[in-house]
Amino acid sequence: MLLPLPAARVRALSLANHLLLATIRSGHGNLDVVMNLIRVLYLAYFMRDDAQAQRDLDVFRTADAVLERTATRAEQAQGWTLPEEDLSVLERILALHDLQLASMPSHRYLEAWDRLERFVRSDDLSPIAKSPACAETRQ
């Protein structure tokens, strides 16, 4: 369990994640693409270590808002597109997640999946919005 994910699996996950962003960047996004980007965001959020927890919280909150705005634009028939500044936020999340996948033990990835599955079964809108540090910054 302390072993990292196999390198081939890390490459496959990274490629799939970056293809999601390339799809939406090219103007071919859809609900599935955005939902998978949300999955990546939440997995990366759940895989954070204590040192990352406070340092990277703002980028997670911003990425969560970016994906929410994307869904809202699509609901308003404005298409599944992202402004360049929003794309750069998601690029940061993907780069961080690539590092997580390459360096963390596989049990951390499995724990993050477990947390993601529990979140999906909950009525919560976002695990990031529920973060205690997020609540502190909103007060």
Side-chain angles (χ1 to χ4, degrees):
M1 286 293 253
L2 293 177
L3 295 174
L5 289 170
R9 180 73 176 139
V10 169
R11 284 190 303 274
L13 289 168
S14 178
L15 177 61
N17 295 339
H18 286 272
L19 285 174
L20 292 168
L21 193 59
T23 299
I24 205 162
R25 173 178 269 135
S26 70
H28 294 95
N30 59 40
L31 180 59
D32 287 336
V33 170
V34 172
M35 293 304 294
N36 279 301
L37 284 169
I38 290 170
R39 174 192 47 82
V40 172
L41 171 64
Y42 293 170
L43 274 175
Y45 178 76
F46 289 140
M47 289 175 72
R48 294 175 311 147
D49 59 27
D50 291 337
Q52 287 177 303
Q54 292 302 317
R55 185 185 66 226
D56 296 327
L57 186 57
D58 285 341
V59 73
F60 283 97
R61 290 173 56 213
T62 302
D64 204 22
V66 160
L67 293 170
E68 178 65 30
R69 285 193 305 268
T70 302
T72 299
R73 278 193 304 274
E75 287 172 1
Q76 297 170 349
Q78 296 176 18
W80 294 95
T81 60
L82 288 169
E84 192 58 41
E85 62 272 9
D86 287 353
L87 285 166
S88 67
V89 170
L90 296 179
E91 287 169 347
R92 286 185 60 197
I93 292 295
L94 292 182
L96 172 66
H97 193 52
D98 286 346
L99 290 173
Q100 291 172 326
L101 291 171
S103 64
M104 289 190 178
S106 58
H107 75 89
R108 291 281 303 278
Y109 180 75
L110 296 173
E111 289 168 0
W113 261 111
D114 183 56
R115 290 181 70 187
L116 180 64
E117 288 174 348
R118 283 186 307 215
F119 165 73
V120 168
R121 290 189 303 267
S122 76
D123 293 330
D124 297 333
L125 296 177
S126 167
I128 298 169
K130 286 191 68 170
S131 171
C134 287
E136 290 171 14
T137 57
R138 279 191 251 143
Q139 293 177 357

